[in-house]
Amino acid sequence: MTVLIRKVFLFGALLATLLQVASITLPNLHRRQAVAAPSVSLAPGATVAAAAPAQPWNNPGQFHLNKKFVIKAAPTTRSYDWTISQKTIAPDGLERPMLLVNGMFPGPLVEANTGDRIVVKVTNNLMNGTAIHWHGMFQNGTNWMDGSAGVTQCPIPPGQSFTYNFTVPNQWGTYWWHAHAASQYVDGIVGPLVIHSPNEAHLGHYDEDVIVMLSDYYHTPSPTLVSWYLSPASDGSEPVPDNGLINGRNYFNCTLDPQALFPTHAPCHSNAPRSVFDFQPGLRYRIRIINTGSFADFQFSIDNHTLSVIEADGVDMQPVDVHRIPVHVGQRYSAIVQANQQVDNYWIRAQMNLNCFNEENPALDASVKALVRYAGAPASQAAHSFDWADEAWPGRCLDLEASMLKPYVVRDAPPADIQVILDMSFQKITKKRVSLGYVNETSWVPLKKAATLFQVNKGNTKFAATQFIVTLNQTQTVELVVNNYDEGSHPFHLHGHQVYVVGEGKGRYIPGESPLNTINPLRRDTVTLQTFGYTVLRFVNDNPGMWPFHCHINPHLDAGLMVQFLSLPSAVKAFKIPAELKKMCTA
């Protein structure tokens, strides 16, 4: 059975809705117009501290996991208490207001074992609502804890708190958490999430465990960028980053700010430090790479050090050795690195793929760097190592070839019971001349003071025309055919599931002719749709809830590139959703 669902889009107050949830005030701004640093909207009684680099964890720039963490412990509850606030900091030397969790950027690590319960109390000291999404968590039986504003919850109101409470059975690997309300995560509400298990395939193959968070970085707060992008002035071109960060740090040449696409003329301090990762000769390091950015695709590498990939998006892989790993927004990889080189400093490189940008930013150095420092090497912010000689970007923004990544636990893709065809495109509204993202004929607009999950829970199955919802009534295997009619690639993330990547190629998918691989195909939760190409995914519809499937490039989500899967509506109607969650819709 094939389902091709189309809805008519009714253009509403998309920009107003997005900016209502955004938390940093913005001036009227057109591209290349010089502005002062934006003011900051704070909750009553809050203050703005002097600019400083927010210090992550205990050792700035280094996210080494605690070796004393007991992986074989009995299931327990891991509790966290977070406060989200605003503060002016300078991650790369240029001051700008950021949204921080417990005063940290990146935010705190959430670390647990398979079977543990994770409890996170979130207090919102912003001027607008917020929500936290646990990227990659299945949330089986707790769909209302998924943290998607307008879908599974209404935002946490200013000055109020909400406690996320869920368990993590049958999952392990590298994940992350981030705000899922408007564009807030671009301004700093992000952090790592790691789940351990004694059943991990490569548990005994490394000595140290390190997190490396990659992100593009904008000196202009995201509400200004969204306002420009969703206007005729952008002509559909995404804002280009001013810099990139590794674990929240990098250097920026302050003299280049006036040349940026959106010059801020904010205070800027030269010689901001890069992140440094300490290596001990002879040890093996598991590097957990997470792209927590907004737009840019990175290729990650370490000079002179081979990367042995062992995980993709929480799925153990058969080891494969590479020099570079392409990591699109929302994706994660783990690679084992042998500290087998001479004692010295070596560049860690996260190279942005400029092929995927439609504009140039003269202020941007697309080669984002950090350092590996062997014990005994000079305490320097520079290295004399050289990049790998093989070509960095043989094509446009693409994932590692699916044929290279073989899941360690062999699992063939089940036969499809139903096929859903989705066409992704960007179109312009005739009158407003604004480029918006469409899934079939619908451009998503977040609901105000409502969530589609709550509507179904109440028995309402009539949705606004801005909500494209595919209803799946039975437990069955869904074949999802996604045709990308856009010139850009799109990292699409499916909440609550892992998907089998059974086919991809150029052009439109042709049944019976386009090749498919169902023999132990790659499984993951965030897949890049290639330019003017097709991707065929399969997933088992056995997790009741309302699950977004959306592009993780933040401007594209803001522009409406999302569809929702209503899985097993009869079970959703029986959900016992906490009353305090529903009350947030009336705040």
Side-chain angles (χ1 to χ4, degrees):
M1 178 179 179
T2 299
V3 180
L4 177 56
I5 304 177
R6 300 185 182 274
K7 291 188 178 182
V8 178
F9 171 72
L10 300 178
F11 185 75
L14 171 61
L15 179 60
T17 301
L18 291 169
L19 297 185
Q20 184 181 30
V21 183
S23 298
I24 298 178
T25 58
L26 63 153
N28 293 323
L29 179 66
H30 297 286
R31 186 166 60 95
R32 298 198 64 81
Q33 174 185 338
V35 296
S39 59
V40 182
S41 298
L42 296 171
T47 60
V48 179
Q55 303 300 330
W57 299 11
N58 295 323
N59 192 354
Q62 296 200 61
F63 282 10
H64 286 256
L65 298 187
N66 185 355
K67 291 192 292 186
K68 296 182 180 180
F69 189 92
V70 181
I71 294 176
K72 296 183 179 181
T76 187
T77 298
R78 312 282 180 177
S79 297
Y80 303 85
D81 195 339
W82 292 354
T83 298
I84 301 178
S85 60
Q86 300 170 338
K87 181 180 179 182
T88 296
I89 63 172
D92 64 352
L94 189 142
E95 298 181 11
R96 61 151 290 185
M98 297 280 286
L99 309 181
L100 308 180
V101 177
N102 290 354
M104 298 164 60
F105 172 70
L109 166 70
V110 174
E111 189 175 16
N113 289 326
T114 297
D116 283 353
R117 179 174 296 277
I118 295 175
V119 178
V120 184
K121 180 183 178 182
V122 177
T123 299
N124 179 14
N125 279 351
L126 306 177
M127 282 296 290
N128 297 290
T130 192
I132 303 297
H133 170 57
W134 315 93
H135 188 111
M137 295 290 95
F138 294 153
Q139 298 291 1
N140 198 308
T142 52
N143 178 224
W144 54 89
M145 294 292 175
D146 187 58
S148 302
V151 179
T152 61
Q153 73 167 88
C154 290
I156 304 169
Q160 296 189 27
S161 300
F162 176 72
T163 300
Y164 293 92
N165 188 332
F166 57 93
T167 58
V168 285
N170 305 315
Q171 279 190 272
W172 59 81
T174 307
Y175 305 91
W176 62 301
W177 56 264
H178 59 85
H180 212 301
S183 55
Q184 290 178 349
Y185 92 77
V186 180
D187 293 317
I189 307 179
V190 299
L193 169 59
V194 174
I195 307 298
H196 300 285
S197 171
N199 297 322
E200 290 183 60
H202 307 288
L203 188 59
H205 298 166
Y206 54 92
D207 307 297
E208 298 279 349
D209 205 336
V210 181
I211 292 173
V212 178
M213 302 178 71
L214 314 177
S215 66
D216 49 20
Y217 182 64
Y218 296 84
H219 292 153
T220 302
S222 66
T224 299
L225 303 176
V226 172
S227 179
W228 174 78
Y229 179 61
L230 298 179
S231 74
S234 73
D235 196 30
S237 292
E238 302 85 354
V240 176
D242 298 298
N243 205 349
L245 306 177
I246 297 180
N247 284 0
R249 291 183 161 212
N250 196 13
Y251 164 81
F252 179 71
N253 183 348
C254 295
T255 64
L256 295 178
D257 179 53
Q259 303 177 40
L261 287 175
F262 298 93
T264 66
H265 302 292
C268 189
H269 313 279
S270 298
N271 301 320
R274 295 182 170 98
S275 292
V276 178
F277 298 86
D278 293 330
F279 272 25
Q280 293 289 336
L283 296 187
R284 301 162 299 175
Y285 290 79
R286 176 177 183 163
I287 310 295
R288 299 178 185 262
I289 309 156
I290 311 171
N291 187 339
T292 65
S294 169
F295 178 33
D297 180 22
F298 289 94
Q299 273 205 355
F300 177 88
S301 65
I302 304 177
D303 291 359
N304 295 47
H305 293 76
T306 298
L307 308 171
S308 182
V309 179
I310 61 167
E311 179 213 356
D313 291 1
V315 179
D316 291 333
M317 294 291 151
Q318 299 174 23
V320 56
D321 290 347
V322 297
H323 290 162
R324 309 176 194 275
I325 303 175
V327 192
H328 220 319
V329 180
Q331 293 183 331
R332 296 90 61 208
Y333 289 93
S334 284
I336 292 178
V337 175
Q338 302 273 353
N340 57 6
Q341 299 298 305
Q342 294 182 353
V343 172
D344 207 341
N345 294 317
Y346 296 87
W347 287 123
I348 294 176
R349 302 176 190 267
Q351 180 71 38
M352 291 189 200
N353 190 346
L354 299 181
N355 295 324
C356 298
F357 295 173
N358 289 324
E359 297 270 355
E360 293 184 0
N361 186 344
L364 173 64
D365 180 355
S367 182
V368 184
K369 295 185 179 73
L371 285 160
V372 163
R373 178 176 296 151
Y374 277 69
S380 170
Q381 276 282 309
H384 302 289
S385 59
F386 295 95
D387 195 3
W388 292 102
D390 47 318
E391 187 177 4
W393 294 111
R396 293 185 66 83
C397 299
L398 298 172
D399 294 338
L400 274 176
E401 292 184 15
S403 60
M404 296 177 62
L405 296 173
K406 296 294 184 183
Y408 188 88
V409 176
V410 176
R411 188 180 302 161
D412 294 343
D417 300 309
I418 184 175
Q419 187 183 72
V420 177
I421 300 175
L422 302 177
D423 293 337
M424 308 294 178
S425 65
F426 274 81
Q427 305 172 30
K428 288 186 178 180
I429 303 301
T430 302
K431 293 181 179 180
K432 296 182 178 292
R433 304 302 300 165
V434 174
S435 182
L436 296 177
Y438 286 80
V439 181
N440 292 353
E441 294 180 359
T442 302
S443 185
W444 175 73
V445 177
L447 298 176
K448 293 182 179 180
K449 296 188 176 182
T452 50
L453 172 65
F454 298 170
Q455 293 176 343
V456 176
N457 186 243
K458 292 180 180 179
N460 180 12
T461 55
K462 294 182 178 180
F463 304 101
T466 56
Q467 308 299 306
F468 181 7
I469 296 176
V470 178
T471 301
L472 303 170
N473 291 302
Q474 305 175 40
T475 298
Q476 55 193 169
T477 299
V478 179
E479 183 169 271
L480 190 58
V481 177
V482 189
N483 295 302
N484 179 18
Y485 291 100
D486 186 50
E487 64 180 1
S489 63
H490 299 279
F492 260 73
H493 171 53
L494 178 59
H495 291 218
H497 299 77
Q498 286 173 348
V499 296
Y500 297 87
V501 184
V502 297
E504 53 189 348
K506 297 180 180 179
R508 184 180 176 88
Y509 174 72
I510 302 176
E513 295 185 20
S514 301
L516 299 179
N517 170 42
T518 61
I519 307 301
N520 194 31
L522 173 63
R523 304 188 299 272
R524 64 185 319 163
D525 60 51
T526 307
V527 179
T528 301
L529 312 181
Q530 63 178 279
T531 299
F532 295 123
Y534 69 87
T535 304
V536 183
L537 311 172
R538 289 184 188 174
F539 68 93
V540 180
N541 177 51
D542 60 357
N543 191 3
M546 187 70 79
W547 304 110
F549 179 55
H550 66 87
C551 181
H552 220 292
I553 292 176
N554 188 77
H556 296 172
L557 179 58
D558 289 339
L561 211 53
M562 187 175 90
V563 60
Q564 299 167 62
F565 287 96
L566 172 55
S567 176
L568 307 175
S570 59
V572 173
K573 292 176 183 178
F575 278 172
K576 303 298 182 183
I577 299 175
E580 62 175 320
L581 197 59
K582 294 182 178 181
K583 287 181 181 179
M584 294 193 302
C585 295
T586 61

